[in-house]
Amino acid sequence: LNVPAVVLLHRYGVEKYHFVLRKLGLSSIKHPPSHYGLSMILGTFEVNLWDLVSLYYSLVKYMEQSYSAEENPVYVFEEPCLVLPCGAGKGGGRWQEASSYISPAALWITLKMLLKAERPEQEFGWQFWESDFPVAWKTGTSSGLRDAWAIGITYNYIVGVWVGNATGEGKPDLTGIGKAAPIMFDILRSLQNQNKWFAKPVLWLKEVETCSESGFLASSQCPHSRIEDVPVGKTVFPLCVFHKKVFLTEDLKWRVYKNCYSGEVIDTVWYVLPPSMAEFYRKWDLSYEDPPPFHPRCKQEGLASENPIAIISPRGNQPIFLPKNKRTAEVVIKAVHQYPNSTLYWFLDDAYLGKTTYPAHSMSIKPDTGIHILSIIDDFGNAITHKLEILSQPGRLANPTN
């Protein structure tokens, strides 16, 4: 589930993200962007509890003050006041203009998402008393289970909790949701919270119709849609391409094309995901259903019209580091097919490696240093190729954004 966030940061830019975080007050980030790479989106940079709570506070105050339609510049705190909750005003801290970094609409939508986070086991039944005082909250657990974090935001207060050992020693059960979150909720319940939430920044939001299944803008093919709030701006929201017209035989058992099937054809719409996404949905979403297989008469035409093979690991054309002195070092290639029962045939530089069947479409190889071409072919001649660059020195991998 971290993959979408990593892909998003890759598009946004590690350098830009690094700059914005430091500009918003996280001065504890000491190293250059290349030191962290794409892992920054998963929280691998240095931060202390005070700075993190201060940042949440600053962004919420910025969002609140942005509700005004006055033409005054909007600022964000770099240093918060010393007692929370703080009143309005600059509080003696240093300020930076924030409107070019993050919009009030994005902040409001993010808080709305965090309101729905599933609470710890100790908070069983929270849905029934959530209206007492809404809480947007987030947890974190550091590498090695050395730190557990939780931050909760209500209309009146922001509470941050850190749990850990002063020695930095990890513990097997030290997690944000298991240890820090229950303390945070106990503290929030002991405070005088109001049953209020932050006003909707209507000037920075617009309503769009989205596909209920994919989340993209609804196309004419989407059978179900809903209205969502999105930020006003230059962001381009793509149209859903996953609901497609599919022609089926009268008994609904086979997928056909009109030029290869002369019988009665049923015109319908199906939610068809690319092979790599479909593989994930088969495991985790019981409502997802693959379209019927192509009719024997139409199999060649159908599979040729859309490549049913995808390589899910390794992704992209990143070089792969394999130490020379590790004779057992292997590269494991994982692939998926739109139709799971298909057989895949594997080749490396035109040398046949073997075949795989579902569910184990993976192949271990021990390539020499240099550039290789991996090819995968199915029963009907559909093929996909992938360039593998094997390194014996890790130097070229220093900046993972390249």
Side-chain angles (χ1 to χ4, degrees):
L1 296 180
N2 287 331
V3 171
V6 173
V7 172
L8 184 63
L9 180 58
H10 180 70
R11 294 176 182 173
Y12 183 76
V14 174
E15 292 81 4
K16 184 178 178 182
Y17 185 57
H18 182 277
F19 172 81
V20 170
L21 289 178
R22 284 185 53 82
K23 210 62 171 159
L24 292 177
L26 297 187
S27 57
S28 56
I29 301 176
K30 301 295 185 183
H31 299 287
S34 60
H35 175 80
Y36 307 101
L38 293 172
S39 70
M40 283 194 79
I41 199 67
L42 307 181
T44 58
F45 51 85
E46 306 86 354
V47 68
N48 59 59
L49 185 63
W50 180 258
D51 284 351
L52 199 56
V53 173
S54 300
L55 176 58
Y56 274 91
Y57 168 78
S58 302
L59 293 175
V60 171
K61 293 303 294 183
Y62 160 58
M63 180 184 69
E64 280 193 296
Q65 294 176 5
S66 299
Y67 298 155
S68 171
E70 298 175 0
E71 296 182 358
N72 297 322
V74 177
Y75 298 97
V76 86
F77 282 105
E78 280 196 354
E79 296 175 0
C81 53
L82 297 178
V83 180
L84 297 180
C86 297
K90 296 187 177 181
R94 294 184 297 119
W95 293 65
Q96 288 288 338
E97 205 165 328
S99 58
S100 60
Y101 303 138
I102 189 166
S103 74
L107 290 170
W108 187 82
I109 291 172
T110 301
L111 290 178
K112 182 181 177 183
M113 292 166 60
L114 296 178
L115 279 172
K116 301 300 181 183
E118 193 68 29
R119 299 194 183 182
E121 292 180 2
Q122 297 91 329
E123 300 293 313
F124 178 77
W126 64 271
Q127 297 95 335
F128 301 108
W129 52 264
E130 178 193 14
S131 58
D132 290 347
F133 60 96
V135 182
W137 67 288
K138 185 74 181 72
T139 63
T141 304
S142 67
S143 176
L145 304 178
R146 293 172 298 170
D147 304 277
W149 303 69
I151 292 181
I153 302 168
T154 70
Y155 185 79
N156 301 94
Y157 297 93
I158 296 178
V159 171
V161 172
W162 174 87
V163 177
N165 294 304
T167 60
E169 180 185 359
K171 290 191 65 178
D173 60 345
L174 189 61
T175 63
I177 193 168
K179 298 299 182 182
I183 299 173
M184 179 200 71
F185 280 109
D186 283 346
I187 294 172
L188 283 173
R189 272 195 297 272
S190 71
L191 300 172
Q192 298 298 316
N193 285 284
Q194 293 178 280
N195 183 14
K196 293 179 65 176
W197 193 242
F198 303 101
K200 184 176 179 178
V202 292
L203 296 179
W204 284 267
L205 288 166
K206 64 179 179 180
E207 291 185 342
V208 297
E209 186 180 4
T210 62
C211 172
S212 298
E213 281 79 24
S214 71
F216 289 95
L217 291 183
S219 72
S220 58
Q221 305 294 338
C222 297
H224 309 291
S225 64
R226 61 186 177 214
I227 302 299
E228 298 276 6
D229 292 309
V230 299
V232 172
K234 298 179 181 178
T235 304
V236 177
F237 297 94
L239 199 66
C240 177
V241 296
F242 304 115
H243 282 101
K244 300 178 179 180
K245 271 197 172 186
V246 172
F247 301 102
L248 304 178
T249 55
E250 193 172 9
D251 58 8
L252 306 181
K253 291 182 178 180
W254 299 99
R255 189 175 172 187
V256 297
Y257 283 102
K258 292 181 179 179
N259 61 346
C260 58
Y261 184 78
S262 58
E264 185 72 24
V265 174
I266 304 298
D267 186 349
T268 185
V269 172
W270 207 280
Y271 191 45
V272 183
L273 292 172
S276 58
M277 294 184 188
E279 177 72 7
F280 179 84
Y281 271 67
R282 289 187 198 107
K283 295 178 180 178
W284 300 106
D285 187 346
L286 297 179
S287 65
Y288 180 74
E289 186 179 359
D290 286 305
F294 283 102
H295 192 279
R297 298 180 199 164
C298 300
K299 218 161 193 176
Q300 192 68 39
E301 292 90 338
L303 292 178
S305 65
E306 49 190 56
N307 196 337
I309 310 171
I311 294 175
I312 59 175
S313 178
R315 292 174 61 88
N317 292 317
Q318 291 285 348
I320 299 170
F321 168 56
L322 287 180
K324 282 185 177 180
N325 59 344
K326 299 290 185 181
R327 294 185 179 180
T328 59
E330 296 181 340
V331 178
V332 179
I333 313 296
K334 295 182 180 180
V336 291
H337 198 285
Q338 187 77 53
Y339 296 92
N341 293 329
S342 300
T343 300
L344 296 182
Y345 302 88
W346 300 68
F347 299 83
L348 186 66
D349 300 328
D350 296 328
Y352 178 63
L353 298 175
K355 66 180 181 180
T356 58
T357 56
Y358 187 81
H361 283 313
S362 64
M363 183 68 65
S364 298
I365 60 176
K366 297 180 180 180
D368 297 326
T369 302
I371 294 178
H372 303 271
I373 301 298
L374 177 79
S375 303
I376 306 175
I377 304 173
D378 69 6
D379 298 300
F380 299 93
N382 298 290
I384 189 170
T385 60
H386 187 87
K387 184 178 79 171
L388 295 174
E389 183 178 359
I390 308 300
L391 305 178
S392 59
Q393 298 293 330
R396 293 181 60 184
L397 294 178
N399 186 354
T401 61
N402 288 339

PDB file of all heavy atoms in Angstrom, residues 216-246:
ATOM      1  N   PHE A 216     -11.235   7.873 -10.469  1.00  0.00           N
ATOM      2  CA  PHE A 216     -10.971   8.845 -11.524  1.00  0.00           C
ATOM      3  C   PHE A 216     -12.271   9.566 -11.894  1.00  0.00           C
ATOM      4  O   PHE A 216     -13.351   9.182 -11.454  1.00  0.00           O
ATOM      5  CB  PHE A 216     -10.385   8.147 -12.756  1.00  0.00           C
ATOM      6  CG  PHE A 216      -8.980   7.650 -12.567  1.00  0.00           C
ATOM      7  CD1 PHE A 216      -8.722   6.344 -12.190  1.00  0.00           C
ATOM      8  CD2 PHE A 216      -7.901   8.499 -12.770  1.00  0.00           C
ATOM      9  CE1 PHE A 216      -7.430   5.882 -12.011  1.00  0.00           C
ATOM     10  CE2 PHE A 216      -6.595   8.057 -12.604  1.00  0.00           C
ATOM     11  CZ  PHE A 216      -6.367   6.740 -12.219  1.00  0.00           C
ATOM     12  N   LEU A 217     -12.148  10.610 -12.693  1.00  0.00           N
ATOM     13  CA  LEU A 217     -13.346  11.284 -13.178  1.00  0.00           C
ATOM     14  C   LEU A 217     -14.223  10.279 -13.911  1.00  0.00           C
ATOM     15  O   LEU A 217     -13.734   9.462 -14.699  1.00  0.00           O
ATOM     16  CB  LEU A 217     -12.971  12.430 -14.118  1.00  0.00           C
ATOM     17  CG  LEU A 217     -12.272  13.648 -13.496  1.00  0.00           C
ATOM     18  CD1 LEU A 217     -12.037  14.705 -14.567  1.00  0.00           C
ATOM     19  CD2 LEU A 217     -13.094  14.236 -12.356  1.00  0.00           C
ATOM     20  N   ALA A 218     -15.504  10.327 -13.665  1.00  0.00           N
ATOM     21  CA  ALA A 218     -16.425   9.355 -14.251  1.00  0.00           C
ATOM     22  C   ALA A 218     -16.538   9.560 -15.756  1.00  0.00           C
ATOM     23  O   ALA A 218     -16.696  10.686 -16.232  1.00  0.00           O
ATOM     24  CB  ALA A 218     -17.794   9.470 -13.597  1.00  0.00           C
ATOM     25  N   SER A 219     -16.442   8.472 -16.487  1.00  0.00           N
ATOM     26  CA  SER A 219     -16.674   8.501 -17.926  1.00  0.00           C
ATOM     27  C   SER A 219     -18.104   8.073 -18.199  1.00  0.00           C
ATOM     28  O   SER A 219     -18.842   7.682 -17.294  1.00  0.00           O
ATOM     29  CB  SER A 219     -15.692   7.569 -18.644  1.00  0.00           C
ATOM     30  OG  SER A 219     -16.049   6.212 -18.401  1.00  0.00           O
ATOM     31  N   SER A 220     -18.486   8.115 -19.451  1.00  0.00           N
ATOM     32  CA  SER A 220     -19.843   7.707 -19.816  1.00  0.00           C
ATOM     33  C   SER A 220     -20.056   6.212 -19.600  1.00  0.00           C
ATOM     34  O   SER A 220     -21.197   5.741 -19.569  1.00  0.00           O
ATOM     35  CB  SER A 220     -20.106   8.060 -21.283  1.00  0.00           C
ATOM     36  OG  SER A 220     -19.156   7.419 -22.128  1.00  0.00           O
ATOM     37  N   GLN A 221     -18.957   5.447 -19.432  1.00  0.00           N
ATOM     38  CA  GLN A 221     -19.070   4.004 -19.238  1.00  0.00           C
ATOM     39  C   GLN A 221     -19.222   3.612 -17.770  1.00  0.00           C
ATOM     40  O   GLN A 221     -19.598   2.482 -17.471  1.00  0.00           O
ATOM     41  CB  GLN A 221     -17.819   3.307 -19.814  1.00  0.00           C
ATOM     42  CG  GLN A 221     -17.520   3.627 -21.254  1.00  0.00           C
ATOM     43  CD  GLN A 221     -18.579   3.092 -22.206  1.00  0.00           C
ATOM     44  OE1 GLN A 221     -19.303   2.156 -21.869  1.00  0.00           O
ATOM     45  NE2 GLN A 221     -18.700   3.702 -23.368  1.00  0.00           N
ATOM     46  N   CYS A 222     -18.905   4.508 -16.847  1.00  0.00           N
ATOM     47  CA  CYS A 222     -18.930   4.162 -15.419  1.00  0.00           C
ATOM     48  C   CYS A 222     -20.364   3.986 -14.931  1.00  0.00           C
ATOM     49  O   CYS A 222     -21.164   4.934 -15.000  1.00  0.00           O
ATOM     50  CB  CYS A 222     -18.222   5.235 -14.597  1.00  0.00           C
ATOM     51  SG  CYS A 222     -16.468   5.410 -14.995  1.00  0.00           S
ATOM     52  N   PRO A 223     -20.713   2.823 -14.395  1.00  0.00           N
ATOM     53  CA  PRO A 223     -22.095   2.592 -13.974  1.00  0.00           C
ATOM     54  C   PRO A 223     -22.459   3.292 -12.671  1.00  0.00           C
ATOM     55  O   PRO A 223     -23.626   3.582 -12.429  1.00  0.00           O
ATOM     56  CB  PRO A 223     -22.164   1.067 -13.805  1.00  0.00           C
ATOM     57  CG  PRO A 223     -20.760   0.668 -13.503  1.00  0.00           C
ATOM     58  CD  PRO A 223     -19.875   1.626 -14.239  1.00  0.00           C
ATOM     59  N   HIS A 224     -21.477   3.550 -11.813  1.00  0.00           N
ATOM     60  CA  HIS A 224     -21.737   4.184 -10.526  1.00  0.00           C
ATOM     61  C   HIS A 224     -20.774   5.348 -10.336  1.00  0.00           C
ATOM     62  O   HIS A 224     -19.590   5.242 -10.651  1.00  0.00           O
ATOM     63  CB  HIS A 224     -21.571   3.189  -9.374  1.00  0.00           C
ATOM     64  CG  HIS A 224     -22.319   1.908  -9.558  1.00  0.00           C
ATOM     65  ND1 HIS A 224     -23.681   1.833  -9.525  1.00  0.00           N
ATOM     66  CD2 HIS A 224     -21.907   0.655  -9.797  1.00  0.00           C
ATOM     67  CE1 HIS A 224     -24.072   0.596  -9.724  1.00  0.00           C
ATOM     68  NE2 HIS A 224     -23.010  -0.148  -9.896  1.00  0.00           N
ATOM     69  N   SER A 225     -21.289   6.442  -9.812  1.00  0.00           N
ATOM     70  CA  SER A 225     -20.437   7.616  -9.597  1.00  0.00           C
ATOM     71  C   SER A 225     -20.830   8.298  -8.292  1.00  0.00           C
ATOM     72  O   SER A 225     -21.873   7.996  -7.705  1.00  0.00           O
ATOM     73  CB  SER A 225     -20.569   8.590 -10.768  1.00  0.00           C
ATOM     74  OG  SER A 225     -21.897   9.099 -10.848  1.00  0.00           O
ATOM     75  N   ARG A 226     -19.984   9.201  -7.837  1.00  0.00           N
ATOM     76  CA  ARG A 226     -20.256   9.989  -6.637  1.00  0.00           C
ATOM     77  C   ARG A 226     -19.615  11.365  -6.797  1.00  0.00           C
ATOM     78  O   ARG A 226     -18.685  11.540  -7.591  1.00  0.00           O
ATOM     79  CB  ARG A 226     -19.732   9.284  -5.387  1.00  0.00           C
ATOM     80  CG  ARG A 226     -18.235   9.048  -5.385  1.00  0.00           C
ATOM     81  CD  ARG A 226     -17.810   8.223  -4.195  1.00  0.00           C
ATOM     82  NE  ARG A 226     -16.383   7.935  -4.223  1.00  0.00           N
ATOM     83  CZ  ARG A 226     -15.837   6.810  -3.786  1.00  0.00           C
ATOM     84  NH1 ARG A 226     -16.603   5.850  -3.309  1.00  0.00           N
ATOM     85  NH2 ARG A 226     -14.535   6.618  -3.819  1.00  0.00           N
ATOM     86  N   ILE A 227     -20.100  12.309  -6.038  1.00  0.00           N
ATOM     87  CA  ILE A 227     -19.585  13.676  -6.085  1.00  0.00           C
ATOM     88  C   ILE A 227     -18.486  13.820  -5.033  1.00  0.00           C
ATOM     89  O   ILE A 227     -18.661  13.455  -3.876  1.00  0.00           O
ATOM     90  CB  ILE A 227     -20.711  14.707  -5.835  1.00  0.00           C
ATOM     91  CG1 ILE A 227     -21.810  14.538  -6.873  1.00  0.00           C
ATOM     92  CG2 ILE A 227     -20.161  16.118  -5.860  1.00  0.00           C
ATOM     93  CD1 ILE A 227     -21.367  14.761  -8.304  1.00  0.00           C
ATOM     94  N   GLU A 228     -17.327  14.330  -5.450  1.00  0.00           N
ATOM     95  CA  GLU A 228     -16.189  14.512  -4.553  1.00  0.00           C
ATOM     96  C   GLU A 228     -15.730  15.968  -4.600  1.00  0.00           C
ATOM     97  O   GLU A 228     -15.855  16.646  -5.630  1.00  0.00           O
ATOM     98  CB  GLU A 228     -15.022  13.614  -4.974  1.00  0.00           C
ATOM     99  CG  GLU A 228     -15.305  12.133  -4.915  1.00  0.00           C
ATOM    100  CD  GLU A 228     -15.091  11.556  -3.538  1.00  0.00           C
ATOM    101  OE1 GLU A 228     -14.836  12.335  -2.588  1.00  0.00           O
ATOM    102  OE2 GLU A 228     -15.178  10.318  -3.403  1.00  0.00           O
ATOM    103  N   ASP A 229     -15.165  16.427  -3.475  1.00  0.00           N
ATOM    104  CA  ASP A 229     -14.523  17.730  -3.424  1.00  0.00           C
ATOM    105  C   ASP A 229     -13.059  17.593  -3.828  1.00  0.00           C
ATOM    106  O   ASP A 229     -12.348  16.718  -3.320  1.00  0.00           O
ATOM    107  CB  ASP A 229     -14.589  18.310  -2.006  1.00  0.00           C
ATOM    108  CG  ASP A 229     -16.007  18.663  -1.592  1.00  0.00           C
ATOM    109  OD1 ASP A 229     -16.678  19.373  -2.363  1.00  0.00           O
ATOM    110  OD2 ASP A 229     -16.447  18.233  -0.508  1.00  0.00           O
ATOM    111  N   VAL A 230     -12.602  18.447  -4.739  1.00  0.00           N
ATOM    112  CA  VAL A 230     -11.200  18.457  -5.147  1.00  0.00           C
ATOM    113  C   VAL A 230     -10.711  19.900  -5.134  1.00  0.00           C
ATOM    114  O   VAL A 230     -11.500  20.841  -5.254  1.00  0.00           O
ATOM    115  CB  VAL A 230     -11.001  17.843  -6.551  1.00  0.00           C
ATOM    116  CG1 VAL A 230     -11.453  16.387  -6.576  1.00  0.00           C
ATOM    117  CG2 VAL A 230     -11.731  18.653  -7.609  1.00  0.00           C
ATOM    118  N   PRO A 231      -9.402  20.111  -4.988  1.00  0.00           N
ATOM    119  CA  PRO A 231      -8.873  21.475  -4.971  1.00  0.00           C
ATOM    120  C   PRO A 231      -9.051  22.177  -6.310  1.00  0.00           C
ATOM    121  O   PRO A 231      -8.916  21.569  -7.375  1.00  0.00           O
ATOM    122  CB  PRO A 231      -7.385  21.284  -4.656  1.00  0.00           C
ATOM    123  CG  PRO A 231      -7.302  19.934  -4.021  1.00  0.00           C
ATOM    124  CD  PRO A 231      -8.367  19.116  -4.679  1.00  0.00           C
ATOM    125  N   VAL A 232      -9.359  23.463  -6.238  1.00  0.00           N
ATOM    126  CA  VAL A 232      -9.393  24.298  -7.442  1.00  0.00           C
ATOM    127  C   VAL A 232      -7.949  24.563  -7.849  1.00  0.00           C
ATOM    128  O   VAL A 232      -7.097  24.832  -7.005  1.00  0.00           O
ATOM    129  CB  VAL A 232     -10.122  25.626  -7.163  1.00  0.00           C
ATOM    130  CG1 VAL A 232      -9.996  26.567  -8.352  1.00  0.00           C
ATOM    131  CG2 VAL A 232     -11.583  25.361  -6.840  1.00  0.00           C
ATOM    132  N   GLY A 233      -7.653  24.477  -9.112  1.00  0.00           N
ATOM    133  CA  GLY A 233      -6.291  24.741  -9.548  1.00  0.00           C
ATOM    134  C   GLY A 233      -6.022  24.124 -10.896  1.00  0.00           C
ATOM    135  O   GLY A 233      -6.936  23.774 -11.642  1.00  0.00           O
ATOM    136  N   LYS A 234      -4.729  23.959 -11.185  1.00  0.00           N
ATOM    137  CA  LYS A 234      -4.312  23.471 -12.495  1.00  0.00           C
ATOM    138  C   LYS A 234      -4.205  21.948 -12.562  1.00  0.00           C
ATOM    139  O   LYS A 234      -3.848  21.406 -13.599  1.00  0.00           O
ATOM    140  CB  LYS A 234      -2.954  24.088 -12.851  1.00  0.00           C
ATOM    141  CG  LYS A 234      -2.978  25.607 -12.950  1.00  0.00           C
ATOM    142  CD  LYS A 234      -1.600  26.148 -13.285  1.00  0.00           C
ATOM    143  CE  LYS A 234      -1.617  27.670 -13.367  1.00  0.00           C
ATOM    144  NZ  LYS A 234      -0.274  28.236 -13.655  1.00  0.00           N
ATOM    145  N   THR A 235      -4.479  21.272 -11.455  1.00  0.00           N
ATOM    146  CA  THR A 235      -4.354  19.820 -11.452  1.00  0.00           C
ATOM    147  C   THR A 235      -5.293  19.198 -12.473  1.00  0.00           C
ATOM    148  O   THR A 235      -6.473  19.535 -12.534  1.00  0.00           O
ATOM    149  CB  THR A 235      -4.668  19.255 -10.058  1.00  0.00           C
ATOM    150  OG1 THR A 235      -3.818  19.882  -9.103  1.00  0.00           O
ATOM    151  CG2 THR A 235      -4.442  17.756 -10.016  1.00  0.00           C
ATOM    152  N   VAL A 236      -4.757  18.290 -13.280  1.00  0.00           N
ATOM    153  CA  VAL A 236      -5.559  17.590 -14.283  1.00  0.00           C
ATOM    154  C   VAL A 236      -5.972  16.242 -13.697  1.00  0.00           C
ATOM    155  O   VAL A 236      -5.133  15.433 -13.311  1.00  0.00           O
ATOM    156  CB  VAL A 236      -4.762  17.375 -15.577  1.00  0.00           C
ATOM    157  CG1 VAL A 236      -5.581  16.573 -16.578  1.00  0.00           C
ATOM    158  CG2 VAL A 236      -4.358  18.721 -16.172  1.00  0.00           C
ATOM    159  N   PHE A 237      -7.269  16.019 -13.595  1.00  0.00           N
ATOM    160  CA  PHE A 237      -7.790  14.754 -13.070  1.00  0.00           C
ATOM    161  C   PHE A 237      -8.156  13.851 -14.247  1.00  0.00           C
ATOM    162  O   PHE A 237      -9.024  14.197 -15.051  1.00  0.00           O
ATOM    163  CB  PHE A 237      -9.012  15.008 -12.182  1.00  0.00           C
ATOM    164  CG  PHE A 237      -8.707  15.833 -10.965  1.00  0.00           C
ATOM    165  CD1 PHE A 237      -8.888  17.204 -10.983  1.00  0.00           C
ATOM    166  CD2 PHE A 237      -8.211  15.241  -9.822  1.00  0.00           C
ATOM    167  CE1 PHE A 237      -8.598  17.977  -9.874  1.00  0.00           C
ATOM    168  CE2 PHE A 237      -7.920  15.997  -8.706  1.00  0.00           C
ATOM    169  CZ  PHE A 237      -8.112  17.364  -8.727  1.00  0.00           C
ATOM    170  N   PRO A 238      -7.490  12.708 -14.380  1.00  0.00           N
ATOM    171  CA  PRO A 238      -7.723  11.841 -15.541  1.00  0.00           C
ATOM    172  C   PRO A 238      -9.097  11.191 -15.521  1.00  0.00           C
ATOM    173  O   PRO A 238      -9.705  10.991 -14.465  1.00  0.00           O
ATOM    174  CB  PRO A 238      -6.604  10.797 -15.434  1.00  0.00           C
ATOM    175  CG  PRO A 238      -6.237  10.789 -13.987  1.00  0.00           C
ATOM    176  CD  PRO A 238      -6.455  12.172 -13.484  1.00  0.00           C
ATOM    177  N   LEU A 239      -9.550  10.845 -16.708  1.00  0.00           N
ATOM    178  CA  LEU A 239     -10.835  10.188 -16.891  1.00  0.00           C
ATOM    179  C   LEU A 239     -10.669   8.687 -16.677  1.00  0.00           C
ATOM    180  O   LEU A 239      -9.630   8.100 -17.008  1.00  0.00           O
ATOM    181  CB  LEU A 239     -11.351  10.459 -18.305  1.00  0.00           C
ATOM    182  CG  LEU A 239     -12.831  10.262 -18.583  1.00  0.00           C
ATOM    183  CD1 LEU A 239     -13.662  11.281 -17.813  1.00  0.00           C
ATOM    184  CD2 LEU A 239     -13.102  10.397 -20.082  1.00  0.00           C
ATOM    185  N   CYS A 240     -11.660   8.053 -16.104  1.00  0.00           N
ATOM    186  CA  CYS A 240     -11.609   6.608 -15.875  1.00  0.00           C
ATOM    187  C   CYS A 240     -11.552   5.870 -17.214  1.00  0.00           C
ATOM    188  O   CYS A 240     -12.390   6.093 -18.097  1.00  0.00           O
ATOM    189  CB  CYS A 240     -12.837   6.151 -15.094  1.00  0.00           C
ATOM    190  SG  CYS A 240     -12.904   4.362 -14.828  1.00  0.00           S
ATOM    191  N   VAL A 241     -10.556   5.001 -17.349  1.00  0.00           N
ATOM    192  CA  VAL A 241     -10.406   4.203 -18.576  1.00  0.00           C
ATOM    193  C   VAL A 241     -10.589   2.713 -18.277  1.00  0.00           C
ATOM    194  O   VAL A 241     -10.353   1.875 -19.150  1.00  0.00           O
ATOM    195  CB  VAL A 241      -9.019   4.433 -19.214  1.00  0.00           C
ATOM    196  CG1 VAL A 241      -8.869   5.877 -19.664  1.00  0.00           C
ATOM    197  CG2 VAL A 241      -7.896   4.063 -18.231  1.00  0.00           C
ATOM    198  N   PHE A 242     -11.001   2.389 -17.062  1.00  0.00           N
ATOM    199  CA  PHE A 242     -11.062   0.990 -16.663  1.00  0.00           C
ATOM    200  C   PHE A 242     -12.419   0.352 -16.928  1.00  0.00           C
ATOM    201  O   PHE A 242     -12.526  -0.876 -16.982  1.00  0.00           O
ATOM    202  CB  PHE A 242     -10.707   0.849 -15.185  1.00  0.00           C
ATOM    203  CG  PHE A 242      -9.361   1.424 -14.844  1.00  0.00           C
ATOM    204  CD1 PHE A 242      -9.243   2.510 -14.002  1.00  0.00           C
ATOM    205  CD2 PHE A 242      -8.218   0.888 -15.393  1.00  0.00           C
ATOM    206  CE1 PHE A 242      -8.004   3.052 -13.696  1.00  0.00           C
ATOM    207  CE2 PHE A 242      -6.968   1.405 -15.105  1.00  0.00           C
ATOM    208  CZ  PHE A 242      -6.859   2.490 -14.253  1.00  0.00           C
ATOM    209  N   HIS A 243     -13.468   1.160 -17.051  1.00  0.00           N
ATOM    210  CA  HIS A 243     -14.760   0.611 -17.453  1.00  0.00           C
ATOM    211  C   HIS A 243     -14.808   0.595 -18.983  1.00  0.00           C
ATOM    212  O   HIS A 243     -14.753   1.649 -19.628  1.00  0.00           O
ATOM    213  CB  HIS A 243     -15.904   1.449 -16.884  1.00  0.00           C
ATOM    214  CG  HIS A 243     -16.175   1.169 -15.444  1.00  0.00           C
ATOM    215  ND1 HIS A 243     -15.747   1.980 -14.425  1.00  0.00           N
ATOM    216  CD2 HIS A 243     -16.824   0.124 -14.835  1.00  0.00           C
ATOM    217  CE1 HIS A 243     -16.107   1.478 -13.264  1.00  0.00           C
ATOM    218  NE2 HIS A 243     -16.766   0.356 -13.480  1.00  0.00           N
ATOM    219  N   LYS A 244     -14.890  -0.605 -19.532  1.00  0.00           N
ATOM    220  CA  LYS A 244     -14.805  -0.763 -20.979  1.00  0.00           C
ATOM    221  C   LYS A 244     -16.005  -1.534 -21.510  1.00  0.00           C
ATOM    222  O   LYS A 244     -16.579  -2.376 -20.802  1.00  0.00           O
ATOM    223  CB  LYS A 244     -13.517  -1.508 -21.350  1.00  0.00           C
ATOM    224  CG  LYS A 244     -12.247  -0.807 -20.897  1.00  0.00           C
ATOM    225  CD  LYS A 244     -11.019  -1.630 -21.256  1.00  0.00           C
ATOM    226  CE  LYS A 244      -9.746  -0.933 -20.821  1.00  0.00           C
ATOM    227  NZ  LYS A 244      -8.539  -1.715 -21.153  1.00  0.00           N
ATOM    228  N   LYS A 245     -16.332  -1.253 -22.759  1.00  0.00           N
ATOM    229  CA  LYS A 245     -17.365  -2.039 -23.427  1.00  0.00           C
ATOM    230  C   LYS A 245     -16.824  -3.434 -23.691  1.00  0.00           C
ATOM    231  O   LYS A 245     -15.735  -3.609 -24.235  1.00  0.00           O
ATOM    232  CB  LYS A 245     -17.772  -1.384 -24.744  1.00  0.00           C
ATOM    233  CG  LYS A 245     -18.892  -0.373 -24.589  1.00  0.00           C
ATOM    234  CD  LYS A 245     -19.532  -0.069 -25.930  1.00  0.00           C
ATOM    235  CE  LYS A 245     -20.784   0.790 -25.728  1.00  0.00           C
ATOM    236  NZ  LYS A 245     -21.505   0.993 -27.004  1.00  0.00           N
ATOM    237  N   VAL A 246     -17.585  -4.426 -23.272  1.00  0.00           N
ATOM    238  CA  VAL A 246     -17.189  -5.813 -23.460  1.00  0.00           C
ATOM    239  C   VAL A 246     -18.356  -6.547 -24.114  1.00  0.00           C
ATOM    240  O   VAL A 246     -19.511  -6.396 -23.698  1.00  0.00           O
ATOM    241  CB  VAL A 246     -16.830  -6.466 -22.103  1.00  0.00           C
ATOM    242  CG1 VAL A 246     -16.617  -7.966 -22.275  1.00  0.00           C
ATOM    243  CG2 VAL A 246     -15.588  -5.827 -21.517  1.00  0.00           C
TER     244      VAL A 246
END
